[in-house]
Short mmCIF file of all heavy atoms in Angstrom, two decimals:
data_model
loop_
_atom_site.label_atom_id
_atom_site.label_comp_id
_atom_site.label_asym_id
_atom_site.label_seq_id
_atom_site.Cartn_x
_atom_site.Cartn_y
_atom_site.Cartn_z
N VAL T 295 -0.81 2.01 -1.36
CA VAL T 295 -0.75 0.73 -2.07
C VAL T 295 0.50 -0.04 -1.67
O VAL T 295 0.46 -1.24 -1.37
CB VAL T 295 -0.80 0.94 -3.60
CG1 VAL T 295 -0.45 -0.36 -4.32
CG2 VAL T 295 -2.19 1.42 -4.01
N THR T 296 1.65 0.63 -1.70
CA THR T 296 2.89 -0.06 -1.34
C THR T 296 2.85 -0.54 0.10
O THR T 296 3.34 -1.64 0.41
CB THR T 296 4.12 0.86 -1.53
OG1 THR T 296 3.98 2.03 -0.74
CG2 THR T 296 4.27 1.25 -2.98
N GLU T 297 2.26 0.24 0.99
CA GLU T 297 2.19 -0.17 2.39
C GLU T 297 1.33 -1.42 2.56
O GLU T 297 1.68 -2.33 3.33
CB GLU T 297 1.63 0.97 3.24
CG GLU T 297 1.62 0.65 4.72
CD GLU T 297 1.07 1.79 5.56
OE1 GLU T 297 0.00 2.32 5.21
OE2 GLU T 297 1.72 2.16 6.55
N GLN T 298 0.21 -1.48 1.84
CA GLN T 298 -0.66 -2.65 1.95
C GLN T 298 0.03 -3.91 1.41
O GLN T 298 -0.02 -4.98 2.03
CB GLN T 298 -1.96 -2.39 1.20
CG GLN T 298 -2.85 -1.37 1.88
CD GLN T 298 -4.02 -0.94 1.01
OE1 GLN T 298 -4.03 -1.18 -0.19
NE2 GLN T 298 -5.00 -0.30 1.61
N VAL T 299 0.68 -3.78 0.26
CA VAL T 299 1.38 -4.94 -0.31
C VAL T 299 2.53 -5.35 0.60
O VAL T 299 2.75 -6.55 0.86
CB VAL T 299 1.90 -4.61 -1.72
CG1 VAL T 299 2.74 -5.76 -2.27
CG2 VAL T 299 0.73 -4.32 -2.66
N GLU T 300 3.27 -4.37 1.09
CA GLU T 300 4.40 -4.65 1.98
C GLU T 300 3.93 -5.37 3.24
O GLU T 300 4.53 -6.36 3.68
CB GLU T 300 5.10 -3.35 2.35
CG GLU T 300 6.18 -3.50 3.42
CD GLU T 300 6.58 -2.16 4.02
OE1 GLU T 300 6.28 -1.11 3.42
OE2 GLU T 300 7.19 -2.19 5.11
N ARG T 301 2.85 -4.88 3.83
CA ARG T 301 2.38 -5.46 5.08
C ARG T 301 1.90 -6.90 4.89
O ARG T 301 2.18 -7.79 5.70
CB ARG T 301 1.25 -4.61 5.66
CG ARG T 301 1.04 -4.82 7.16
CD ARG T 301 -0.17 -4.06 7.66
NE ARG T 301 -0.13 -2.67 7.27
CZ ARG T 301 -1.22 -1.91 7.14
NH1 ARG T 301 -2.40 -2.44 7.32
NH2 ARG T 301 -1.11 -0.65 6.81
N LEU T 302 1.21 -7.14 3.77
CA LEU T 302 0.74 -8.49 3.49
C LEU T 302 1.91 -9.44 3.26
O LEU T 302 1.96 -10.55 3.82
CB LEU T 302 -0.18 -8.48 2.26
CG LEU T 302 -0.77 -9.82 1.83
CD1 LEU T 302 -1.59 -10.42 2.96
CD2 LEU T 302 -1.63 -9.65 0.58
N ALA T 303 2.89 -9.01 2.44
CA ALA T 303 4.05 -9.86 2.17
C ALA T 303 4.87 -10.07 3.43
O ALA T 303 5.39 -11.18 3.68
CB ALA T 303 4.91 -9.22 1.08
N MET T 304 5.00 -9.03 4.25
CA MET T 304 5.74 -9.15 5.50
C MET T 304 5.09 -10.17 6.43
O MET T 304 5.76 -10.99 7.05
CB MET T 304 5.81 -7.80 6.21
CG MET T 304 6.51 -7.84 7.56
SD MET T 304 6.02 -6.50 8.67
CE MET T 304 4.35 -7.01 9.11
N MET T 305 3.76 -10.14 6.51
CA MET T 305 3.06 -11.07 7.39
C MET T 305 3.26 -12.51 6.92
O MET T 305 3.48 -13.41 7.74
CB MET T 305 1.57 -10.72 7.45
CG MET T 305 1.28 -9.45 8.23
SD MET T 305 -0.48 -9.14 8.46
CE MET T 305 -0.93 -10.44 9.62
N VAL T 306 3.22 -12.73 5.62
CA VAL T 306 3.45 -14.08 5.10
C VAL T 306 4.86 -14.54 5.46
O VAL T 306 5.07 -15.67 5.94
CB VAL T 306 3.25 -14.12 3.57
CG1 VAL T 306 3.70 -15.47 3.01
CG2 VAL T 306 1.80 -13.85 3.22
N LEU T 307 5.85 -13.67 5.24
CA LEU T 307 7.22 -14.04 5.54
C LEU T 307 7.42 -14.32 7.03
O LEU T 307 8.10 -15.29 7.40
CB LEU T 307 8.17 -12.93 5.07
CG LEU T 307 9.67 -13.29 5.09
CD1 LEU T 307 10.40 -12.60 3.94
CD2 LEU T 307 10.32 -12.89 6.41
N LEU T 308 6.81 -13.50 7.89
CA LEU T 308 6.99 -13.71 9.32
C LEU T 308 6.21 -14.91 9.82
O LEU T 308 6.62 -15.55 10.81
CB LEU T 308 6.58 -12.45 10.09
CG LEU T 308 7.51 -11.25 9.90
CD1 LEU T 308 7.04 -10.07 10.73
CD2 LEU T 308 8.94 -11.61 10.29
N LEU T 309 5.11 -15.24 9.18
CA LEU T 309 4.43 -16.50 9.51
C LEU T 309 5.36 -17.68 9.22
O LEU T 309 5.46 -18.63 10.01
CB LEU T 309 3.13 -16.63 8.72
CG LEU T 309 1.96 -15.74 9.14
CD1 LEU T 309 0.83 -15.83 8.12
CD2 LEU T 309 1.44 -16.15 10.51
N LEU T 310 6.03 -17.61 8.07
CA LEU T 310 6.98 -18.68 7.72
C LEU T 310 8.17 -18.67 8.68
O LEU T 310 8.69 -19.73 9.05
CB LEU T 310 7.46 -18.49 6.28
CG LEU T 310 6.39 -18.63 5.20
CD1 LEU T 310 6.97 -18.28 3.82
CD2 LEU T 310 5.83 -20.05 5.18
N PHE T 311 8.61 -17.48 9.08
CA PHE T 311 9.71 -17.39 10.04
C PHE T 311 9.30 -17.99 11.38
O PHE T 311 10.08 -18.74 12.01
CB PHE T 311 10.11 -15.92 10.22
CG PHE T 311 11.20 -15.69 11.22
CD1 PHE T 311 12.48 -16.21 11.02
CD2 PHE T 311 10.97 -14.95 12.37
CE1 PHE T 311 13.50 -15.99 11.94
CE2 PHE T 311 11.98 -14.72 13.29
CZ PHE T 311 13.25 -15.25 13.09
N GLY T 312 8.09 -17.71 11.82
CA GLY T 312 7.60 -18.34 13.04
C GLY T 312 7.53 -19.85 12.92
O GLY T 312 7.85 -20.58 13.85
N GLY T 313 7.11 -20.32 11.72
CA GLY T 313 7.09 -21.75 11.47
C GLY T 313 8.48 -22.36 11.51
O GLY T 313 8.69 -23.46 12.05
N ALA T 314 9.45 -21.64 10.94
CA ALA T 314 10.84 -22.13 10.97
C ALA T 314 11.35 -22.22 12.40
O ALA T 314 12.05 -23.18 12.77
CB ALA T 314 11.73 -21.21 10.14
N LEU T 315 10.99 -21.25 13.22
CA LEU T 315 11.39 -21.30 14.63
C LEU T 315 10.76 -22.50 15.32
O LEU T 315 11.42 -23.20 16.10
CB LEU T 315 10.97 -20.01 15.34
CG LEU T 315 11.68 -18.73 14.92
CD1 LEU T 315 11.02 -17.51 15.57
CD2 LEU T 315 13.16 -18.77 15.30
N ALA T 316 9.48 -22.74 15.04
CA ALA T 316 8.80 -23.87 15.66
C ALA T 316 9.37 -25.21 15.20
O ALA T 316 9.32 -26.20 15.94
CB ALA T 316 7.30 -23.81 15.33
N LYS T 317 9.92 -25.25 13.99
CA LYS T 317 10.48 -26.48 13.44
C LYS T 317 11.97 -26.64 13.74
O LYS T 317 12.62 -27.52 13.18
CB LYS T 317 10.26 -26.51 11.93
CG LYS T 317 8.80 -26.57 11.50
CD LYS T 317 8.14 -27.89 11.89
CE LYS T 317 6.73 -27.99 11.32
NZ LYS T 317 6.08 -29.28 11.66
N GLY T 318 12.53 -25.77 14.58
CA GLY T 318 13.90 -25.99 15.04
C GLY T 318 14.96 -25.14 14.40
O GLY T 318 16.14 -25.54 14.38
N LEU T 319 14.61 -23.94 13.92
CA LEU T 319 15.62 -23.08 13.29
C LEU T 319 16.76 -22.75 14.25
O LEU T 319 17.91 -22.64 13.82
CB LEU T 319 14.95 -21.78 12.81
CG LEU T 319 15.88 -20.76 12.14
CD1 LEU T 319 16.42 -21.30 10.82
CD2 LEU T 319 15.16 -19.43 11.90
N LEU T 320 16.47 -22.63 15.53
CA LEU T 320 17.49 -22.23 16.50
C LEU T 320 18.28 -23.40 17.07
O LEU T 320 19.14 -23.21 17.94
CB LEU T 320 16.85 -21.45 17.66
CG LEU T 320 16.04 -20.20 17.28
CD1 LEU T 320 15.57 -19.48 18.53
CD2 LEU T 320 16.85 -19.26 16.40
N SER T 321 18.02 -24.59 16.58
CA SER T 321 18.70 -25.76 17.14
C SER T 321 20.19 -25.78 16.83
O SER T 321 20.96 -26.48 17.49
CB SER T 321 18.06 -27.05 16.61
OG SER T 321 18.16 -27.12 15.19
N GLY T 322 20.63 -25.01 15.84
CA GLY T 322 22.04 -25.00 15.48
C GLY T 322 22.89 -24.06 16.30
O GLY T 322 24.10 -23.92 16.04
N LEU T 323 22.31 -23.40 17.31
CA LEU T 323 23.08 -22.46 18.12
C LEU T 323 24.17 -23.16 18.92
O LEU T 323 23.96 -24.25 19.45
CB LEU T 323 22.15 -21.71 19.08
CG LEU T 323 21.19 -20.69 18.46
CD1 LEU T 323 20.20 -20.19 19.50
CD2 LEU T 323 21.94 -19.53 17.84
N ALA T 324 25.32 -22.52 19.00
CA ALA T 324 26.44 -23.03 19.79
C ALA T 324 26.49 -22.28 21.11
O ALA T 324 25.90 -21.21 21.26
CB ALA T 324 27.75 -22.84 19.02
N PRO T 325 27.20 -22.84 22.10
CA PRO T 325 27.36 -22.11 23.38
C PRO T 325 27.97 -20.73 23.14
O PRO T 325 28.92 -20.58 22.41
CB PRO T 325 28.32 -23.01 24.17
CG PRO T 325 28.13 -24.38 23.59
CD PRO T 325 27.84 -24.17 22.13
N GLY T 326 27.38 -19.76 23.73
CA GLY T 326 27.88 -18.40 23.58
C GLY T 326 27.18 -17.59 22.52
O GLY T 326 27.31 -16.35 22.49
N ASP T 327 26.42 -18.23 21.64
CA ASP T 327 25.75 -17.50 20.56
C ASP T 327 24.65 -16.59 21.09
O ASP T 327 24.40 -15.51 20.53
CB ASP T 327 25.18 -18.47 19.52
CG ASP T 327 26.26 -19.13 18.67
OD1 ASP T 327 27.41 -18.66 18.74
OD2 ASP T 327 25.95 -20.10 17.96
N VAL T 328 23.97 -17.02 22.14
CA VAL T 328 22.91 -16.18 22.71
C VAL T 328 23.50 -14.90 23.28
O VAL T 328 22.99 -13.79 23.04
CB VAL T 328 22.13 -16.94 23.80
CG1 VAL T 328 21.12 -16.02 24.48
CG2 VAL T 328 21.42 -18.16 23.21
#
Side-chain angles (χ1 to χ4, degrees):
V295 168
T296 58
E297 184 180 49
Q298 290 170 345
V299 175
E300 173 196 343
R301 201 186 308 155
L302 180 59
M304 177 204 72
M305 289 187 70
V306 172
L307 190 146
L308 291 181
L309 287 171
L310 295 174
F311 178 63
L315 293 172
K317 296 293 186 179
L319 179 66
L320 303 185
S321 61
L323 290 172
D327 288 348
V328 175

